[in-house]
Amino acid sequence: MQLHPRHAWAVTPREAIALQQDLKGEIDTGRPLALPDVRLVAGVDVSVKNGLSRAAVVVTRLPDFAVVETVLATRPTPFPYVPGLLSFREGPVLEEAFGKLGTEPDVFIFDGMGIAHPRRIGIASHMGLWLEKPTIGCGKTLLVGRFEALGPEKGAAAPLVDKGETIGVALRTRGRVSPVFISPGHRIDLASAVAVTLAATTRFRLPEPIRLAHAAAGTL
């Protein structure tokens, strides 16, 4: 798959923040994505252990979630753990994995944030610039923002708001289970991100493509 790298990864945390500030204006969260046009959904996850990072990208077909392709990449972890700078820790190994893809998914769902991020450029947004394809952030824990109570049923949602800006939704993907935090990454709007996430979710809390990517990355 052709990528569109925007910068080198060997930077300091201060330089990383400056890059985020420079790039965030290029993030496009205004494009609807028609669900009937979505056939191939990729789940993206990275496992880090003992100084090594393994990225997994698993491409699945809707609606049966048949696995079309799985790619892995492993390399030394290049960047310390710094909240809000996950892209610089996981970006290099993801770039390697994406470069191995033989298929072009219609949309990528990341285990991480899109614009639900202090500087509005989480890993799904940042890597979306590399991919120039629709990307979605699916976070398991809240990074930034507040939300009101939501109903107990699957599909219940509440806006995720930070400093007066709606940056995503808290979305219940399984009845009476803690919500996940969905935000557009790049080249997709919020309503489409929610629709794709629900279409990619079965009886578990996490969307099936992410579950499969997590299992593949966890074999490190």
Side-chain angles (χ1 to χ4, degrees), residues 183-203:
S183 57
H186 182 49
R187 298 184 71 160
I188 193 170
D189 63 12
L190 178 56
S192 301
V194 171
V196 170
T197 300
L198 288 173
T201 303
T202 57
R203 60 190 180 89

Side-chain angles (χ1 to χ4, degrees), residues 50-215:
N50 296 328
L52 289 177
S53 295
R54 170 169 285 179
V57 183
V58 179
V59 182
T60 65
R61 183 179 63 218
L62 289 185
D64 63 355
F65 303 107
V67 174
V68 175
E69 185 178 11
T70 298
V71 296
L72 301 173
T74 304
R75 57 189 301 161
T77 304
F79 198 84
Y81 174 75
V82 181
L85 297 181
L86 183 66
S87 303
F88 296 88
R89 186 171 170 87
E90 300 185 354
V93 73
L94 283 173
E95 183 176 315
E96 183 177 334
F98 291 139
K100 295 179 179 181
L101 278 174
T103 55
E104 286 209 10
D106 299 305
V107 61
F108 294 77
I109 307 178
F110 285 71
D111 185 350
M113 298 299 185
I115 64 166
H117 178 277
R119 287 173 291 279
R120 308 300 187 254
I121 184 167
I123 192 164
S125 299
H126 200 147
M127 298 312 298
L129 294 172
W130 262 242
L131 295 162
E132 286 301 345
K133 300 285 285 186
T135 60
I136 298 167
C138 178
K140 298 187 291 290
T141 58
L142 183 64
L143 178 62
V144 66
R146 297 174 178 271
F147 63 97
E148 301 294 333
L150 59 158
E153 71 281 1
K154 178 178 179 176
L160 181 61
V161 179
D162 182 51
K163 299 177 182 176
E165 179 184 0
T166 298
I167 56 174
V169 298
L171 177 67
R172 206 177 302 282
T173 50
R174 183 181 179 187
R176 302 187 181 278
V177 171
S178 297
V180 294
F181 301 97
I182 302 301
S183 57
H186 182 49
R187 298 184 71 160
I188 193 170
D189 63 12
L190 178 56
S192 301
V194 171
V196 170
T197 300
L198 288 173
T201 303
T202 57
R203 60 190 180 89
F204 299 100
R205 181 183 179 224
L206 292 178
E208 193 64 15
I210 287 184
R211 280 174 29 82
L212 293 168
H214 180 74

